[in-house]
Amino acid sequence: MYQNTSPVTFPENFMWGGATAANQVEGAWNIDGKGMTIEDCLPFREVGYSDFTKQFAFTSKDLEEALAADENANYPKRRGIDFYHHYREDIALMAEMGFKVYRMSIAWARIYTHPWDEKPNQKGLDFYHAVFQECHKHGIEPLVTLSHYDPPLDIVTKYRGWYSREVVDLFTKYARTCFEEFKGEVTYWLTFNEVDAMLRHPVTSGGLIEDQFNDVPFETAIYQAMHHQMVASALAVKIGHEVDPKNFIGCMLTKLEFYPYTCRPEDFLAAQRRTRSIYRYSDIQAFGEYPLFLKKEMEKKGIVLKTEPEDAQILKEGTIDFVSFSYYMTSCMAGNTEGLDMAPGNTVNGVKNPYLPSSEWGWQTDASGLRASLVELYDRYRRPLFVAENGLGARDKVEEDGSIHDPYRADYLKEHVRAMSDAINEDGVDLFGYTWWGCIDLVSESTREMTKRYGFIYVDLDDYGNGTYSRSKKDSFDYYKAVIESNGKAAE
Ligand code: BGP
């Protein structure tokens, strides 16, 4: 258990809240003009969690099957938790916990049925207006991610995902529509969720299906697609600032903390190398240019990017205002991993740390790692920080009277709140908000299951779509409420 080293206190206007993503909650995948996304095509697979490559494997054949599937086929993202029809109730529950901020994402394919359409889909715009108005009614500030893993399917089939330069224009058109349309309703924005993730799962982040790339090495296609996202992100930041100078726009990276497995120098170097690799793309978003170590990495791999003469200027002009990140766990790195136990994460493996507990899904929970991450990020970027995701996926048991006792979730929260407080008060980190991931149960990104639950709010739905979709409060609901009410003090 993380022991705080000074009293738990937070700045007066600290933004407490929770986070979700459109593709994991909305459902309503094919109504009111929503176009299909790649997420709608990901089937539920009974392959467990330890080998994420099996979960993320996706071929053109899988796509064909998805397109031919009837309504009995199990594509969990198509139903989500039906937030589309429950958002009023859900936001009211968030308000009851005292949320100051709700991090959510907009589904590009709901705003443009086809990304090349000239006009946006009015029903999609109406839906998000209604959601934002509902938030404001309760005094909740929306924090909106423009792209949280759900490239429109048209992008995949017509352009081979973000590999094609045309997608930059389509995305910036969509971004402009959002900034203009929701001006005054949204001021906190993120461009791409876990911006580094395309290197780990190119399908959901970039819409890249490996077997469609016979003319170019797949790795090159990934780096090329990343370049396009960087240009698109910078352009979106610029447009956002032009449309409303009040807009405060951040990047979002997967903050993974890696410890050296032993004090062997080669283990330290392995950990340092791995840690540095997570900054490849947020460095571009923060500093406006490719870091030298990324250029070297591409050079070594023989990757030559296709760029446009204006790209360098675009990257320079579109740097972000704040840095947000997801943080779940830490793991270890070793110079030589032979014979060592590996610990699974959602999409990242490392050597298992013998000093840390693991969640039921094998993620090694570690509040000290959050404190370390905050320090590292602040020292690197000198920008305000925001914890956009943090949480514990666990199996919950519903008692006969309907109650759900989840002390493990409250404990996880308590420790991480303590660690944030120390980072602010002792380490001098500028942190202005925290959104618990999956504040309401939702479909897992890596395994597409409902069994792994993050929420303070329980949703009656299983991995196969059985259930009433009804919402109920877990014990942790009251605990988070107390934490927010006391501005963190309840975690002391
Ligand atoms: C992050 C993603 C989220 C979310 C979370 C938990 O990587 O940004 O979308 O799902 O991880 O992961 P999982 O759902 O696989 O448990």
Side-chain angles (χ1 to χ4, degrees):
M1 173 69 77
Y2 180 85
Q3 276 313 330
N4 41 307
T5 38
S6 28
V8 177
T9 61
F10 282 82
E12 209 180 312
N13 298 321
F14 192 77
M15 297 174 87
W16 297 99
T20 64
N23 76 87
Q24 291 169 265
V25 296
E26 282 181 8
W29 66 290
N30 60 354
I31 64 167
D32 291 345
K34 179 180 164 285
M36 224 174 158
T37 74
I38 192 74
E39 301 283 348
D40 299 327
C41 302
L42 304 178
F44 178 71
R45 288 184 176 138
E46 308 263 8
V47 293
Y49 65 84
S50 53
D51 183 358
F52 68 83
T53 53
K54 283 197 195 125
Q55 290 286 6
F56 279 100
F58 193 81
T59 62
S60 296
K61 191 161 163 283
D62 293 315
L63 180 56
E64 264 171 47
E65 274 172 26
L67 294 175
D70 64 21
E71 74 247 20
N72 299 318
N74 195 0
Y75 288 89
K77 299 285 182 74
R78 295 184 183 185
R79 56 180 178 266
I81 53 162
D82 199 23
F83 176 79
Y84 193 76
H85 296 107
H86 287 76
Y87 69 92
R88 282 203 181 85
E89 180 188 354
D90 294 345
I91 294 169
L93 284 163
M94 293 176 199
E96 201 183 321
M97 276 186 276
F99 279 21
K100 317 278 182 233
V101 58
Y102 170 38
R103 175 183 175 230
M104 51 174 279
S105 71
I106 293 180
W108 181 358
R110 211 179 275 292
I111 300 296
Y112 282 96
T113 309
H114 302 291
W116 49 78
D117 287 347
E118 255 171 55
K119 285 210 164 82
N121 167 34
Q122 192 54 49
K123 287 198 170 148
L125 298 175
D126 292 346
F127 169 67
Y128 292 109
H129 277 303
V131 170
F132 299 144
Q133 278 159 20
E134 203 62 25
C135 286
H136 288 297
K137 191 174 104 188
H138 292 287
I140 297 174
E141 196 61 51
L143 161 61
V144 174
T145 314
L146 286 169
S147 174
H148 191 128
Y149 290 159
D150 52 356
L153 193 60
D154 289 328
I155 297 287
V156 181
T157 51
K158 177 141 189 238
Y159 297 99
R160 294 198 289 176
W162 277 91
Y163 177 66
S164 303
R165 180 82 189 195
E166 287 95 320
V167 179
V168 173
D169 289 342
L170 296 171
F171 181 82
T172 48
K173 179 184 69 173
Y174 153 68
R176 179 179 290 283
T177 302
C178 292
F179 290 130
E180 288 178 350
E181 185 73 29
F182 304 121
K183 183 173 171 176
E185 287 176 345
V186 181
T187 36
Y188 293 88
W189 299 90
L190 304 175
T191 53
F192 290 91
N193 181 63
E194 296 194 332
V195 68
D196 45 294
M198 206 195 302
L199 295 122
R200 300 192 299 275
H201 35 98
V203 176
T204 49
S205 298
L208 307 178
I209 300 178
E210 189 164 2
D211 61 45
Q212 296 183 346
F213 291 88
N214 298 321
D215 52 335
V216 54
F218 191 50
E219 201 172 39
T220 302
I222 294 175
Y223 282 82
Q224 185 64 53
M226 277 308 309
H227 179 71
H228 293 150
Q229 281 198 351
M230 286 300 101
V231 173
S233 173
L235 285 168
V237 172
K238 205 168 163 228
I239 296 167
H241 286 151
E242 276 162 15
V243 171
D244 186 351
K246 284 203 224 80
N247 277 334
F248 198 51
I249 310 174
C251 64
M252 200 291 198
L253 70 142
T254 322
K255 182 66 189 87
L256 297 156
E257 197 64 59
F258 297 98
Y259 303 137
Y261 183 62
T262 70
C263 52
R264 278 192 204 101
E266 56 270 32
D267 289 0
F268 176 80
L269 285 178
Q272 187 186 50
R273 222 173 14 251
R274 190 67 183 84
T275 300
R276 210 171 180 218
S277 75
I278 64 161
Y279 294 126
R280 281 175 280 197
Y281 290 97
S282 46
D283 274 10
I284 301 178
Q285 294 177 303
F287 303 129
E289 61 186 13
Y290 272 70
L292 207 52
F293 70 93
L294 175 53
K295 286 188 186 166
K296 289 271 171 220
E297 178 182 317
M298 289 191 291
E299 207 178 287
K300 230 171 110 191
K301 291 173 186 275
I303 291 168
V304 181
L305 295 178
K306 280 184 259 160
T307 60
E308 297 297 328
E310 64 273 22
D311 288 0
Q313 188 64 20
I314 292 172
L315 296 182
K316 271 259 156 325
E317 289 176 2
T319 55
I320 42 84
D321 303 317
F322 70 100
V323 173
S324 84
F325 61 100
S326 58
Y327 173 82
Y328 292 93
M329 54 174 201
T330 56
S331 48
C332 300
M333 286 287 128
N336 179 2
T337 55
E338 225 182 284
L340 296 176
D341 253 8
M342 302 302 276
N346 61 348
T347 56
V348 180
N349 287 342
V351 181
K352 195 165 177 183
N353 187 332
Y355 302 104
L356 291 175
S358 298
S359 79
E360 283 179 81
W361 274 260
W363 301 21
Q364 294 208 276
T365 59
D366 175 14
S368 300
L370 175 56
R371 181 172 174 180
S373 295
L374 286 162
V375 171
E376 208 176 278
L377 285 165
Y378 192 60
D379 286 355
R380 191 177 189 97
Y381 294 124
R382 298 276 161 192
R383 303 268 212 299
L385 300 179
F386 190 100
V387 180
E389 287 185 27
N390 173 238
L392 177 74
R395 208 178 289 272
D396 292 325
K397 181 166 176 269
V398 185
E399 305 294 339
E400 257 166 40
D401 64 356
S403 57
I404 297 152
H405 308 304
D406 57 343
Y408 35 88
R409 193 165 285 112
D411 285 348
Y412 181 98
L413 172 64
K414 182 192 282 181
E415 289 195 60
H416 287 76
V417 170
R418 289 175 173 180
M420 287 192 293
S421 165
D422 281 345
I424 295 170
N425 299 313
E426 292 199 24
D427 305 328
V429 158
D430 179 7
L431 174 67
F432 70 101
Y434 172 84
T435 45
W436 174 273
W437 174 254
C439 47
I440 178 164
D441 291 343
L442 39 66
V443 178
S444 156
E445 171 55 27
S446 58
T447 58
R448 269 98 74 184
E449 64 194 324
M450 281 299 296
T451 305
K452 176 169 33 161
R453 295 173 182 273
Y454 286 85
F456 304 120
I457 303 164
Y458 184 86
V459 178
D460 178 26
L461 190 66
D462 71 11
D463 296 341
Y464 306 91
N466 306 307
T468 61
Y469 289 81
S470 72
R471 277 60 170 155
S472 55
K473 299 174 195 171
K474 304 179 192 175
D475 286 357
S476 56
F477 183 100
D478 290 328
Y479 182 67
Y480 195 31
K481 186 172 183 223
V483 168
I484 297 177
E485 225 163 48
S486 62
N487 202 18
K489 207 78 199 153
E492 198 159 279

